[in-house]
Amino acid sequence: MKPEITLFRVSNYFFKAKQNFSDMIILGIESSCDETAAAVVCDAENADGRILSNVVLSQENEHRPYGGIVPEIAARSHLEHVDHLIKQALDDANVTLADVDGIAATGGPGLIGGVIVGVMSAKAIASVQQIPFIAVNHLEGHALTARLTSDVEFPYLLLLVSGGHCQLLIVEGVGHYKRLGTTVDDALGEAFDKSAKMMGLGYPGGPIVEATAANGDGTRFDLPRPMLGRQECHFSFSGLKTALRRQIERLNDGGNITDQDIADLCASFQEAAGDVLIDRCTNALKQFRDQYPAGDTLVVAGGVAANQRLGSRLSELEKAENISLVVPPAALCTDNAAMIAWAGLERLKAGDSDPLDFKPRPRWPLDPDAPAAIGAGVKA
Ligand code: KG4
Ligand code: ZN
């Protein structure tokens, strides 16, 4: 039997009927991983009125039996659903394709089969409607979400923590990024997912670890804080993951690991991750302020930014470093198409769009000039 998929319309939060039809309207498509999503945004002055629709179809249930994302299943599912999601997003926004000024799709990085589905759909619509096509860097979608929801001004420091990336960047403007640090092994979301798997908690791991940790004691296990105290801004999470595995094996030795043990492990893992993020962000803030002495904003983005405990740990920096911390609403931290439509809108307003022969990019760094971090491999 085919597993069910879950459709949810995000952000009643921002949902408002479009008020001013002179606003620019962009349709966005996201299909780079395990969510098929479509959204319509506009450039209303008030952030509350910008998201006109935002539908996300999660493939979680299709991948769950395999304990992780199967690229072939993901691509086929995107292909099956993208058209009706686009229609849904237009209907929810109460607009037609004739009202749309441009169409944005994730052009990479991501699982290439899925990216191709979104890009081809967007190119077809752009070509029939004779409107601009914008191939959006998925990471730029995450990076600019805070400007969709909170009117954050450039430049700002960005902690980008997702399933595939863990980076600190200075966001200087649309298309202008300076990478200060990256992970040399796992991304933080990946470490959450792998840890959840080790503890038998299933997929996707991040939200389950957070929920399980709520009943746990984060001081019980003294897990390592990789890179803590080092004077640069890179990350490493494989040592933390290995230490967690050893603890699990120790507790499992008698075959009687308890639910409380698991909750305490999740909480301890989360606290270790929180300490690392605070330490790395403190270093990055120094570097940011060396370049921009008036810089006072730290934005957190990507799926892991949905974690409330990590958000509250990072808010410690507001007082300690005299900055304001901006974390978009959880539903806009995890993958969605409103962020892709918004990044497309920002690029189009800057006079930028892409030709219809754009080739999807499995790898697409935000700062192509950043020196490779030793050992970082493809995550650089
Ligand atoms: O940004 P995203 O939706 O997709 C990528 O671009 O990778 O991020 C997905 C990642 C997954 O690893 C997921 O486990 C993690 O974000 N994540 C979380 C939470 N919600 C999602 N990690 C920790 N706590 C959460 N609440
Ligand atoms: Zn993402």
Side-chain angles (χ1 to χ4, degrees), residues 219-270:
T219 62
R220 178 169 161 205
F221 299 104
D222 186 18
L223 297 173
R225 271 77 172 148
M227 302 289 207
L228 205 78
R230 298 227 329 221
Q231 285 312 303
E232 21 75 347
C233 302
H234 294 315
F235 298 87
S236 165
F237 292 105
S238 73
L240 173 57
K241 213 179 48 193
T242 307
L244 187 79
R245 183 195 309 278
R246 291 221 184 88
Q247 277 296 351
I248 296 167
E249 283 163 5
R250 216 165 290 150
L251 291 161
N252 246 336
D253 208 15
N256 55 359
I257 189 164
T258 65
D259 287 350
Q260 192 56 52
D261 292 334
I262 299 280
D264 293 345
L265 283 168
C266 287
S268 302
F269 173 88
Q270 218 166 240

Side-chain angles (χ1 to χ4, degrees), residues 153-174:
E153 299 287 337
F154 298 123
Y156 53 89
L157 181 67
L158 172 70
L159 170 65
L160 176 57
V161 270
S162 68
H165 294 82
C166 186
Q167 304 194 339
L168 276 156
L169 303 122
I170 300 175
V171 184
E172 297 180 318
V174 177

Side-chain angles (χ1 to χ4, degrees), residues 63-64 66-68 192-209 212:
H63 298 289
R64 186 169 289 115
Y66 306 95
F192 265 97
D193 293 338
K194 288 177 177 170
S195 299
K197 203 168 181 180
M198 285 191 271
M199 291 183 278
L201 293 175
Y203 158 89
I208 310 178
V209 169
T212 311

Side-chain angles (χ1 to χ4, degrees), residues 50-349:
R50 289 181 188 148
I51 301 181
L52 303 179
S53 66
N54 190 15
V55 289
V56 180
L57 188 64
S58 168
Q59 301 173 359
E60 266 171 29
N61 294 339
E62 293 189 81
H63 298 289
R64 186 169 289 115
Y66 306 95
I69 299 166
V70 183
E72 175 73 19
I73 291 176
R76 284 171 186 269
S77 184
H78 289 305
L79 192 59
E80 196 176 333
H81 297 291
V82 72
D83 290 348
H84 73 82
L85 283 178
I86 290 171
K87 179 166 183 334
Q88 192 68 64
L90 292 167
D91 289 351
D92 283 359
N94 204 15
V95 297
T96 68
L97 281 178
D99 301 313
V100 171
D101 299 299
I103 172 145
T106 296
L111 300 173
I112 199 65
V115 175
I116 288 172
V117 170
V119 163
M120 292 312 290
S121 306
K123 283 180 176 178
I125 294 172
S127 126
V128 170
Q129 294 296 122
Q130 297 284 295
I131 52 175
F133 159 69
I134 311 109
V136 169
N137 182 324
H138 179 86
L139 305 176
E140 182 155 51
H142 283 303
L144 299 179
T145 302
R147 287 169 54 80
L148 163 66
T149 58
S150 313
D151 285 325
V152 174
E153 299 287 337
F154 298 123
Y156 53 89
L157 181 67
L158 172 70
L159 170 65
L160 176 57
V161 270
S162 68
H165 294 82
C166 186
Q167 304 194 339
L168 276 156
L169 303 122
I170 300 175
V171 184
E172 297 180 318
V174 177
H176 296 284
Y177 298 87
K178 262 192 199 148
R179 200 200 71 198
L180 303 179
T182 186
T183 182
V184 298
D185 41 58
D186 288 345
L188 184 51
E190 190 180 2
F192 265 97
D193 293 338
K194 288 177 177 170
S195 299
K197 203 168 181 180
M198 285 191 271
M199 291 183 278
L201 293 175
Y203 158 89
I208 310 178
V209 169
E210 178 174 18
T212 311
N215 305 313
D217 172 5
T219 62
R220 178 169 161 205
F221 299 104
D222 186 18
L223 297 173
R225 271 77 172 148
M227 302 289 207
L228 205 78
R230 298 227 329 221
Q231 285 312 303
E232 21 75 347
C233 302
H234 294 315
F235 298 87
S236 165
F237 292 105
S238 73
L240 173 57
K241 213 179 48 193
T242 307
L244 187 79
R245 183 195 309 278
R246 291 221 184 88
Q247 277 296 351
I248 296 167
E249 283 163 5
R250 216 165 290 150
L251 291 161
N252 246 336
D253 208 15
N256 55 359
I257 189 164
T258 65
D259 287 350
Q260 192 56 52
D261 292 334
I262 299 280
D264 293 345
L265 283 168
C266 287
S268 302
F269 173 88
Q270 218 166 240
E271 292 314 302
D275 285 345
V276 168
L277 293 184
I278 289 171
D279 183 71
R280 305 289 81 195
C281 286
T282 306
N283 281 0
L285 278 165
K286 278 194 201 95
Q287 295 191 17
F288 175 43
R289 283 176 167 154
D290 283 347
Q291 291 179 52
Y292 294 99
D296 64 354
T297 307
L298 170 62
V299 168
V300 192
V304 183
N307 186 297
Q308 303 292 308
R309 176 62 187 156
L310 291 179
S312 87
R313 289 297 314 276
L314 284 165
S315 68
E316 292 168 22
L317 285 169
E318 289 197 289
K319 248 199 179 153
E321 296 289 330
N322 195 23
I323 49 140
S324 61
L325 177 76
V326 179
V327 188
L332 296 172
C333 288
T334 48
D335 286 351
N336 65 85
M339 69 178 193
I340 302 304
W342 179 256
L345 187 148
E346 293 234 45
R347 282 196 45 212
L348 199 55
K349 280 178 84 174

